[in-house]
Amino acid sequence: MKNTPDPHAGYAARDRAWHPPALHPPYKTSVMRSPSAPLLSLPTSLGEETGPVFGQAMLGDMDHDLVHNYAEPGESAIGPRIIVHGRVTDETGRPVSNALLEVWQANAGGRYRHKKEGYLAPLDPNFGGCGRVLTDEQGFYEFRTIQPGAYPWPNGGNDWRPAHIHFSIFGAAFAQRLITQMYFEGDPLIPLCPIIGAIPQKEAVQSLIAELDMTRTVPMDARAWRFDIVLRGKRQTLFENRLEGL
Amino acid sequence: MTRRYPILKETPSQTAGPYVHIGMNPNVTGIHGVYEADLGAAMKTGAVHGEEITITGTVADGMGSILKDVVLEIWQADADGLFNTPGETRGTADPEFSGWGRAAADLQTGQYRFDTVKPGRVPWRDGRLQAPHISVWIVARGINIGLHTRLYFDDEGEANSEDPVLTRIEHQHRVPTLIAQKTGDGTYRFDIRLQGENETIFFDM
Ligand SMILES: [Fe+2]
């Protein structure tokens, strides 16, 4: 069966019941930073259906290796060595090639390298905390890093973020622009987190949790975690009779 | 028969958090040597067509406090109304102008700044010309899903009055929240309010 994108149809609207709402009072900062008027719904047009495109030439050789990209020569970041990989597709299942993924994270002790960071855990002199990678023709990506630590944050009296990696993702269109966070399977902090708790549906939370992937784990080197990403897709048109057999 | 047909669910959004700069503007927070320059910091790579402009402003919360940790991205056409992207089929955009910019608000003052060009007019879905405008995307701690808005120009009154997006806004008294004010030769001011009085219009597009 074949779906054909309708060039005039634009991008399918975001399912706002699937995403976290702007206002989620247990995440206190959202209270004053959430619009009170409803969003104005409009179909996408050229400016939303196009976007910046990035190339391999723009990236450095070490951009996808957070273990080494800030480290002194011959040294490496401290922490459990991991590979994070997965595939970027759109909602219609098509791979998104040449998608730029930017990632950032705390070090193994849960400390960020940032001017506004105050957690008492120490910085790792060999860990910067940022990396980026482009998906290949089939939408696959992979980067190396260390497993970040959980960290406390000022929200409730005793809130801790589960270990996570922040992702910024560019598809082909500005309408697809997305920032999210990847979590790790089995982390007991996941159900306690007010930021994750903003996501209404369990299945949506589940889709942010990377799974341990022993098939891609490199023996005596690094464990692998798989995290697939779905970006908005274009509206599809198809004939009713083609739906059979799905 | 036509129907929408997504088969997978979009990955849910999560806040960019307070440390967004590490990933998106590392040099702003003192992480040097990983990326040569912060992506989107320069939109012009040489002599560009059209009028060069500077846009500055702030993003305020529902209490009127200026966000110091916000990051904005913009996407726009060049001076001739063309986008610098392979998907542009109407012509070839100015090769010295990327059309995409990213700016972190100043960590002390909350001021953001874009050095860009005044965009040309781009057709709406039905072929009618839109007024010159810039797509804006806002992320920060406390923003669970990036906010899309548009920046128009107060010296484009005639084009604004026939813009297909501006004219279909029901609450017309809110339209000025989308319009940047000219403050001098080639300089514009665009302040964004996330909530409350004079709340900026945000789009679900
Ligand atoms: Fe974080």
Side-chain angles (χ1 to χ4, degrees):
Chain A
M1 203 215 68
K2 257 192 157 173
N3 298 324
T4 42
D6 178 347
H8 305 293
Y11 279 81
R14 280 200 148 120
D15 181 353
R16 295 278 167 179
W18 180 256
H19 287 283
L23 173 63
H24 181 63
Y27 178 20
K28 291 181 181 174
T29 315
S30 77
V31 174
M32 283 300 147
R33 294 186 172 192
S34 44
S36 47
L39 302 179
L40 185 64
S41 289
L42 285 176
T44 56
S45 64
L46 262 177
E48 292 78 37
E49 292 161 13
T50 53
V53 169
F54 306 99
Q56 201 64 47
M58 181 204 86
L59 303 185
D61 295 342
M62 303 288 280
D63 283 6
H64 64 295
D65 182 359
L66 286 74
V67 181
H68 295 104
N69 70 10
Y70 194 80
E72 293 295 328
E75 299 188 21
S76 58
I78 291 172
R81 297 157 60 84
I82 62 171
I83 293 162
V84 178
H85 76 102
R87 192 177 202 190
V88 182
T89 59
D90 68 20
E91 290 169 301
T92 70
R94 286 189 177 76
V96 183
S97 61
N98 210 45
L100 178 69
L101 278 60
E102 299 167 300
V103 297
W104 65 100
Q105 62 170 85
N107 69 22
R111 170 76 187 259
Y112 281 99
R113 184 175 290 281
H114 192 279
K115 287 176 178 169
K116 294 289 167 81
E117 158 73 297
Y119 184 31
L120 51 79
L123 282 169
D124 175 352
N126 288 312
F127 188 68
C130 58
R132 56 189 179 185
V133 64
L134 284 166
T135 59
D136 68 15
E137 293 277 287
Q138 296 303 312
F140 291 105
Y141 75 90
E142 172 179 328
F143 64 90
R144 277 187 174 243
T145 185
I146 50 92
Q147 185 148 4
Y151 60 85
W153 60 299
N155 182 64
N158 187 18
D159 280 330
W160 293 73
R161 295 302 323 283
H164 61 275
I165 300 176
H166 296 265
F167 278 68
S168 143
I169 307 125
F170 292 84
F174 205 55
Q176 293 176 301
R177 197 74 182 83
L178 182 70
I179 284 181
T180 190
Q181 302 181 30
M182 180 201 105
Y183 304 98
F184 293 85
E185 184 182 10
D187 190 331
L189 289 168
I190 290 173
L192 307 181
C193 176
I195 288 176
I196 298 174
I199 300 172
Q201 299 181 45
K202 266 192 182 144
E203 299 83 350
V205 172
Q206 200 58 41
S207 71
L208 295 182
I209 301 174
E211 290 178 357
L212 180 66
D213 181 358
M214 290 308 289
T215 67
R216 287 287 285 273
T217 288
V218 181
M220 308 305 286
D221 179 356
R223 278 171 292 168
W225 296 83
R226 173 148 187 159
F227 180 52
D228 292 333
I229 295 166
V230 180
L231 300 179
R232 288 174 70 182
K234 288 192 172 167
R235 290 200 181 98
Q236 304 286 301
T237 57
L238 75 166
F239 291 104
E240 182 77 41
N241 58 9
R242 286 187 174 168
L243 280 167
E244 285 173 27
L246 275 177
Chain B
M1 181 182 170
T2 302
R3 50 170 70 193
R4 291 181 190 187
Y5 201 68
I7 57 171
L8 298 169
K9 298 300 289 184
E10 187 185 8
T11 297
S13 173
Q14 291 271 264
T15 181
Y19 309 121
V20 56
H21 313 94
I22 297 173
M24 305 216 307
N25 327 71
N27 291 284
V28 164
T29 193
I31 299 176
H32 303 296
V34 182
Y35 308 151
E36 224 167 85
D38 289 339
L39 205 59
M43 299 178 70
K44 295 176 274 191
T45 50
V48 292
H49 306 171
E51 185 192 356
E52 299 189 47
I53 62 169
T54 297
I55 299 163
T56 56
T58 56
V59 180
D61 71 11
M63 304 275 261
S65 299
I66 304 298
L67 276 64
K68 314 284 177 62
D69 51 12
V70 68
V71 174
L72 296 93
E73 290 185 10
I74 61 174
W75 173 242
Q76 63 166 95
D78 70 4
D80 301 313
L82 297 168
F83 291 101
N84 188 347
T85 188
E88 176 59 83
T89 55
R90 299 167 299 145
T92 305
D94 182 349
E96 302 292 357
F97 179 65
S98 74
W100 178 75
R102 178 192 275 166
D106 183 279
L107 297 178
Q108 269 75 47
T109 67
Q111 294 274 332
Y112 74 82
R113 175 187 169 124
F114 287 102
D115 292 301
T116 183
V117 304
K118 186 99 172 271
R121 299 182 71 171
V122 175
W124 180 243
R125 298 160 55 82
D126 57 9
R128 281 182 294 161
L129 284 179
Q130 301 176 83
H133 70 275
I134 293 175
S135 295
V136 182
W137 190 63
I138 303 147
V139 295
R141 175 174 65 99
I143 296 177
N144 285 326
I145 179 164
L147 295 167
H148 286 274
T149 188
R150 282 182 164 206
L151 177 159
Y152 289 83
F153 298 89
D154 74 340
D155 53 352
E156 296 286 346
E158 200 181 319
N160 290 343
S161 69
E162 61 186 31
D163 181 80
V165 169
L166 294 182
T167 53
R168 69 190 279 175
I169 292 171
E170 181 186 355
H171 301 104
Q172 280 291 309
H173 71 278
R174 298 186 66 202
V175 168
T177 69
L178 301 178
I179 297 178
Q181 306 298 313
K182 188 162 185 157
T183 53
D185 197 18
T187 61
Y188 294 87
R189 177 94 195 167
F190 186 61
D191 291 325
I192 294 164
R193 293 162 194 83
L194 297 180
Q195 187 191 90
E197 201 181 346
N198 297 320
E199 179 175 311
T200 301
I201 294 177
F202 298 105
F203 294 96
D204 189 10
M205 297 184 84

